Amino acid sequence: MFSSTTFDILHQRDVMLLFLQGLGVTLQLFACSAVGAFLLGAILASLHFVGRVPSLLVQVFVGYHRNVPAIVQFMVWYFGIPQLFPQSWTGWTDEHLTGFFFAVVALTLNAAAYISEDLRSGFRAVPNGQYEAARALGLSYVTTLRRVLMPQAVRASLPALINQAVSLFKATSLAMAIGVAEMMYIARQVDGATYATFASYLVPTVLYLACTLSLMACGEWLQNRLATR
Amino acid sequence: MLDILDRFGLSLLIGQAPHGPLGGIALTLLMSLAALMLAFPLAILVALARGSAWKPVRRVAAVYVYVIRGIPLLLLIFWAYFVLPLMTGFDAPASVTVVAALIVYEAAFLGEAIRGAIAALPAGQMEASRALGLGYWRTVRHVILPQALFNCLPSIVNQFIMIVKDTSLAYIVGAHEATFAATQINAQLLTQPLQVYLILAGIYFVLCYALSQLSKLLERRVTLRRNRPVAQAPLTEASA
């Protein structure tokens, strides 16, 4: 267990390079999904103001993503959805719709559902007069939303959004279940190949903590900067 | 869909229960309940340690909470399943190791929820109780915790929803819970992955949605209770 060999892999360049590649894939998954989830979340949150039917549809979307385990959502996308494609597409889909693609789709939709709820409660924190004043000044509905309401809603829900970002970063680890070679997948591979079990899981632990703790620290800094002056 | 349910419904529900190990949704619920019950006392300790008057205790609790919040649950499950047996020489079944990982993981999150509820109590509660001569532990037991835990009942239920969803990760290390059962069924059918996984999603949805409605109900009850007018002490002859 703590034989001299377990930490040997830490000095092996190719093993450490593998881990760094895994970290790269994790960061890519996170970056793509974070951008997509925030945009989609903002759109979904705004849809609540449009009318009753869109609002209801958003609630169904949010209900599905909040009450079903993320890993099951991954499976529905990766194993289930390709079943709907016609046979003739098979060549193209196998080439272009990889595990990485479906992982990003699943992560984006999942995080968007949570983010839209956070923004929605952020909107509730913005006084009604803000909307009325902006409209009275002649700003269009979309401009009001984008320049007046959204910034304030984001500020109000910032702590929750930071939490979502950390959760999303952690959720990228689920992509290993559909064969994406991110950090956890690499850890399993290294463990299987070298039997240096302890070190194989120690490295991703340190890397994950470095990333998530910096995310939390950035969040703190942002919050202090955006604090209503 | 219906034909799948007809053929495999029982194995989704209880695994190979009468003849083999318990599995399926029954195991999912069993693991979730075990994790909640066992994480609960640990979570209370974490909450108290985070607000302790002793700096070292506060430090240790803070490090614990931040480390756990900073790593994916899957990694913790791998630590429990692959690394711990090597360190202790103790080999436990997959479902037990996952419950152990869930306890450690959830104690941090539940602990933060309870800490929030304790912080939300008026400071006068602690002060009045100490002024009446109750010691720290008696104050915590009879004054602070009953109120704080009641106030955070909704978030305890929400944590339970998280736990039910999180047990699905156990299939990766081969525990026979609902998600594992579904992957087995899918491997047998081979042609209907979408139906199988949508059924699985539906099962989790029904479970967790029902729990979230319970959480909303409790939320209303807690709010009502909080806003109840405080009973007035009857005027006695002496004070009149």
Side-chain angles (χ1 to χ4, degrees):
Chain A
M1 149 75 225
F2 280 122
S3 57
S4 58
T5 51
T6 192
F7 293 109
D8 277 358
I9 63 163
L10 301 180
H11 305 295
Q12 288 174 16
R13 243 191 105 215
D14 50 347
V15 173
M16 292 323 269
L17 266 176
L18 258 183
F19 273 122
L20 283 182
Q21 275 168 12
L23 177 65
V25 174
T26 290
L27 288 171
Q28 280 173 39
L29 281 171
F30 173 69
C32 298
S33 325
V35 173
F38 187 80
L39 291 175
L40 184 59
I43 292 169
L44 291 175
S46 315
L47 278 178
H48 283 293
F49 305 114
V50 174
R52 186 163 294 181
V53 173
S55 171
L56 210 73
L57 288 175
V58 172
Q59 277 172 33
V60 171
F61 176 90
V62 169
Y64 169 78
H65 287 96
R66 278 190 12 177
N67 293 305
V68 174
I71 194 98
V72 177
Q73 294 168 29
F74 273 73
M75 290 171 170
V76 168
W77 275 105
Y78 184 71
F79 298 114
I81 296 294
Q83 195 189 317
L84 301 174
F85 300 148
Q87 283 289 319
S88 53
W89 291 12
T90 308
W92 186 87
T93 50
D94 284 352
E95 189 164 335
H96 293 85
L97 303 185
T98 51
F100 183 89
F101 171 83
F102 282 120
V104 169
V105 170
L107 283 170
T108 301
L109 295 180
N110 183 294
Y114 283 96
I115 287 172
S116 80
E117 285 297 283
D118 289 335
L119 285 175
R120 195 181 166 191
S121 46
F123 274 120
R124 285 205 195 99
V126 181
N128 254 341
Q130 294 286 321
Y131 171 79
E132 286 153 12
R135 292 310 299 271
L137 288 170
L139 299 181
S140 74
Y141 176 71
V142 174
T143 313
T144 302
L145 201 64
R146 206 168 59 95
R147 306 295 293 266
V148 180
L149 300 183
M150 200 51 99
Q152 295 187 69
V154 168
R155 189 176 298 172
S157 52
L158 196 66
L161 290 175
I162 301 298
N163 258 338
Q164 284 322 333
V166 174
S167 294
L168 177 60
F169 196 93
K170 287 156 60 173
T172 56
S173 62
L174 303 182
M176 76 162 278
I178 56 173
V180 180
E182 48 64 71
M183 238 185 320
M184 295 304 302
Y185 186 92
I186 301 287
R188 292 284 299 118
Q189 259 191 331
V190 172
D191 179 24
T194 63
Y195 294 106
T197 305
F198 190 84
S200 304
Y201 296 115
L202 188 64
V203 174
T205 303
V206 171
L207 291 174
Y208 271 115
L209 278 177
C211 295
T212 48
L213 293 178
S214 357
L215 263 178
M216 291 180 202
C218 286
E220 291 275 316
W221 177 81
L222 250 182
Q223 230 170 309
N224 291 337
R225 247 208 79 182
L226 291 182
T228 337
R229 284 182 285 271
Chain B
M1 281 236 187
L2 283 177
D3 55 314
I4 297 176
L5 271 178
D6 200 36
R7 258 182 77 189
F8 298 104
L10 199 63
S11 70
L12 262 178
L13 199 63
I14 51 174
Q16 309 144 350
H19 319 292
L22 183 73
I25 302 157
L27 185 62
T28 292
L29 285 174
L30 195 68
M31 284 168 69
S32 310
L33 276 171
L36 181 73
M37 294 295 169
L38 295 166
F40 199 68
L42 194 57
I44 290 175
L45 282 181
V46 170
L48 292 176
R50 290 275 274 156
S52 163
W54 267 15
K55 205 165 188 173
V57 174
R58 275 209 308 273
R59 276 277 162 76
V60 170
V63 168
Y64 168 73
V65 166
Y66 275 96
V67 166
I68 296 298
R69 274 176 52 190
I71 60 171
L73 175 60
L74 194 54
L75 185 52
L76 204 59
I77 288 173
F78 284 175
W79 274 107
Y81 187 74
F82 296 111
V83 186
L84 267 188
L86 284 177
M87 289 167 82
T88 57
F90 178 70
D91 242 342
S95 53
V96 175
T97 47
V98 171
V99 169
L102 268 173
I103 291 166
V104 173
Y105 191 73
E106 283 302 326
F109 287 87
L110 201 56
E112 290 297 277
I114 294 171
R115 179 173 81 118
I118 290 175
L121 289 180
Q125 295 288 327
M126 186 71 151
E127 288 158 9
S129 170
R130 296 307 299 270
L132 288 171
L134 275 80
Y136 174 80
W137 287 107
R138 285 181 72 195
T139 300
V140 165
R141 224 196 104 203
H142 298 291
V143 180
I144 304 292
L145 281 184
Q147 298 183 76
L149 292 182
F150 176 78
N151 289 346
C152 76
L153 265 181
S155 43
I156 291 172
V157 175
N158 284 337
Q159 281 301 322
F160 185 62
I161 297 173
M162 295 297 246
I163 295 176
V164 170
K165 291 194 297 179
D166 283 343
T167 52
S168 61
L169 296 182
Y171 101 96
I172 294 181
V173 292
H176 292 225
E177 44 62 73
T179 303
F180 184 89
T183 51
Q184 295 289 87
I185 292 163
N186 184 41
Q188 271 188 51
L189 286 169
L190 280 178
T191 51
Q192 298 166 290
L194 187 61
Q195 286 87 330
V196 172
Y197 289 122
L198 281 180
I199 287 172
L200 180 67
I203 289 168
Y204 278 114
F205 180 86
V206 169
L207 260 179
C208 296
Y209 186 76
L211 283 167
S212 70
Q213 292 309 95
L214 172 70
S215 162
K216 275 193 184 137
L217 189 86
L218 286 169
E219 187 113 41
R220 278 200 292 272
R221 288 288 302 271
V222 170
T223 319
L224 274 178
R225 182 82 175 264
R226 267 202 198 137
N227 300 340
R228 217 171 37 180
V230 181
Q232 290 291 321
L235 285 174
T236 52
E237 293 292 325
S239 61

